[in-house]
């Protein structure tokens, strides 16, 4: 089941009533009200905009709206609870049945939490196995992970995939107010121990349809998608069946290149070594570092992290 950490929904302005205008910022022009806007950043992010110019209601919220059920992330089974929480704030009333019937998703963060203690290994593999270094770029994510994004000039759509330690992120100061509202705070933190979050930001309606494999942007269609857009982008950005072992220095790396050029065949490596060294030099002595490195490379292949199976 597809899950999200953020949704931006646009629906009919008739789907909101009982607006407490004292809680909203009012934007006017020439004495005419253009929109009401409510925004909060804690304990969860929420934005409600009543747009009179376009006769639209815009709602954007994050997964922390689920409070104790935050580990479930936003999905088709708890979307109504998200809307009920908004109504519970007491600043307006939104018609969740109507929004489910005709609301459309304009932006979303598709999210998946996986269990792994090999955060740095996963990041290292991704950095070293980009499918195209001119098209894809890696950067640090809040000092706690990696963000992978494409060079938009070479692609039709911007793609941004973040990978980070979710428990460390939850323990940052800006999440303190959220954690203070949780009755099972420690249970929540324990759940996210050794959880690595993969989060794909999708910012256009067309890209949502493409990556989620849906015919339209209706909320019910998006929530019912059977696609795995995180895996789709990962497959596009990261070479498949590649193992790039860690090398301690440049000499070891160059030796590894020779082993791979010789199809991981030590006899072929030895033939090349014999052809390049004086006959007075011991071939056995020269080959020993290659044999040691070969064994190390084989062990690393055996313990290579299969990221794809984790996010599939």
């Amino acid at each position: 089941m597809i899950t999200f950490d953020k949704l931006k929904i646009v629906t009919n302005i008739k789907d909101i009533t009982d607006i407490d205008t004292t809680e909203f910022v009012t934007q006017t022009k020439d004495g005419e009200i253009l929109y009401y806007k409510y925004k909060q950043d804690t304990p969860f992010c929420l934005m409600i905009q009543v747009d009179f110019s376009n006769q639209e209601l815009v709602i954007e919220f994050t997964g922390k709206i689920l409070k104790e059920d935050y580990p479930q992330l936003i999905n088709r089974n708890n979307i109504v609870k998200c809307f009920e929480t908004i109504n519970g704030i007491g600043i307006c009333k939104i018609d969740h049945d109507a929004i489910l019937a005709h609301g459309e998703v304009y932006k979303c963060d598709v999210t998946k939490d996986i269990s792994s203690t090999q955060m740095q290994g996963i990041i290292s593999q991704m950095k070293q196995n980009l499918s195209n270094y001119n098209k894809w770029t890696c950067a640090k994510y809040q000092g706690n992970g990696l963000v992978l994004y494409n060079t938009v000039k070479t692609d039709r759509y911007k793609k941004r995939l973040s990978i980070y330690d979710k428990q460390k992120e939850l323990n940052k100061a800006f999440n303190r107010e959220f954690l203070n509202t949780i009755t099972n705070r420690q249970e929540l933190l324990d759940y996210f121990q050794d959880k690595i979050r993969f989060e794909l930001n999708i910012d256009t309606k067309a890209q949502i349809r493409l990556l989620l494999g849906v015919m339209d942007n209706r909320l019910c269609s998006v929530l019912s998608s059977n696609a795995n857009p995180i895996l789709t982008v990962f497959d596009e950005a990261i070479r498949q069946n590649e193992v790039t072992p860690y090398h301690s220095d440049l000499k070891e790396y160059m030796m590894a290149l020779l082993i791979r050029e010789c199809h991981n065949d030590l006899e072929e490596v030895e033939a090349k070594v014999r052809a390049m060294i004086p006959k007075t030099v011991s071939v056995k002595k020269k080959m020993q570092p290659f044999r040691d490195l070969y064994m190390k490379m084989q062990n690393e292949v055996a313990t290579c992290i299969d990221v794809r199976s984790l996010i599939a």
Side-chain angles (χ1 to χ4, degrees), residues 135-298:
K135 181 177 179 180
W136 294 95
T137 303
C138 291
K140 288 184 178 180
Y141 181 83
Q142 297 181 358
N144 177 36
L146 177 78
V147 58
L148 176 69
Y149 58 92
N150 63 329
T151 305
V152 182
K153 291 180 181 178
T154 65
D155 205 341
R156 183 179 177 186
Y157 297 113
K158 175 184 176 183
K159 300 186 181 80
R160 185 177 186 273
L161 178 63
S162 303
I163 302 97
Y164 57 95
D165 185 314
K166 185 57 186 176
Q167 190 191 53
K168 286 184 179 179
E169 191 261 354
L170 272 177
N171 278 312
K172 290 183 180 290
F174 59 81
N175 282 315
R176 190 171 300 145
E177 188 172 341
F178 166 69
L179 291 174
N180 287 340
T181 67
I182 302 300
T183 56
N184 60 341
R185 172 176 177 157
Q186 192 56 50
E187 184 179 334
L188 185 81
L189 290 172
D190 289 345
Y191 171 84
F192 282 110
Q193 184 174 353
D194 297 328
K195 289 291 193 304
I196 301 174
R197 172 157 293 188
F198 284 72
E199 188 171 280
L200 176 66
N201 310 124
I202 311 180
D203 293 334
T204 70
K205 292 177 68 177
Q207 195 176 15
I208 288 171
R209 293 193 299 272
L210 177 67
L211 288 172
L212 271 63
V214 292
M215 296 297 293
D216 55 64
N217 287 78
R218 288 186 306 148
L219 176 59
C220 57
S221 299
V222 169
L223 293 172
S224 299
S225 170
N226 292 316
N228 189 343
I230 291 175
L231 182 59
T232 298
V233 172
F234 188 91
D235 279 342
E236 184 181 342
I238 307 299
R239 289 183 303 222
Q240 295 199 40
N241 302 320
E242 290 285 340
V243 178
T244 308
Y246 170 77
H247 299 300
S248 59
D249 53 37
L250 181 60
K251 180 181 178 181
E252 186 177 282
Y253 177 62
M254 294 175 70
M255 289 170 58
L257 290 178
L258 178 57
I259 292 173
R260 284 195 281 272
E261 183 184 300
C262 294
H263 313 97
N264 292 307
D265 185 335
L266 287 181
E267 290 186 4
E268 191 174 341
V269 173
E270 184 173 332
K272 284 190 178 291
V273 170
R274 284 181 180 276
M276 295 180 191
I277 62 173
K279 292 183 178 179
T280 55
V281 175
S282 169
V283 175
K284 182 178 180 181
K285 185 176 180 180
K286 279 290 182 181
M287 280 299 298
Q288 191 57 50
F290 285 98
R291 297 186 190 283
D292 294 341
L293 178 57
Y294 178 79
M295 290 301 298
K296 175 185 173 183
M297 291 168 66
Q298 293 302 108

Side-chain angles (χ1 to χ4, degrees), residues 25-28 32-37 49-53:
V25 173
T26 303
Q27 180 66 44
T28 63
E32 181 181 353
I33 297 176
L34 299 180
Y35 60 79
Y36 296 137
K37 187 173 184 178
Q49 182 166 305
V50 186
D51 185 346
F52 294 99
S53 301

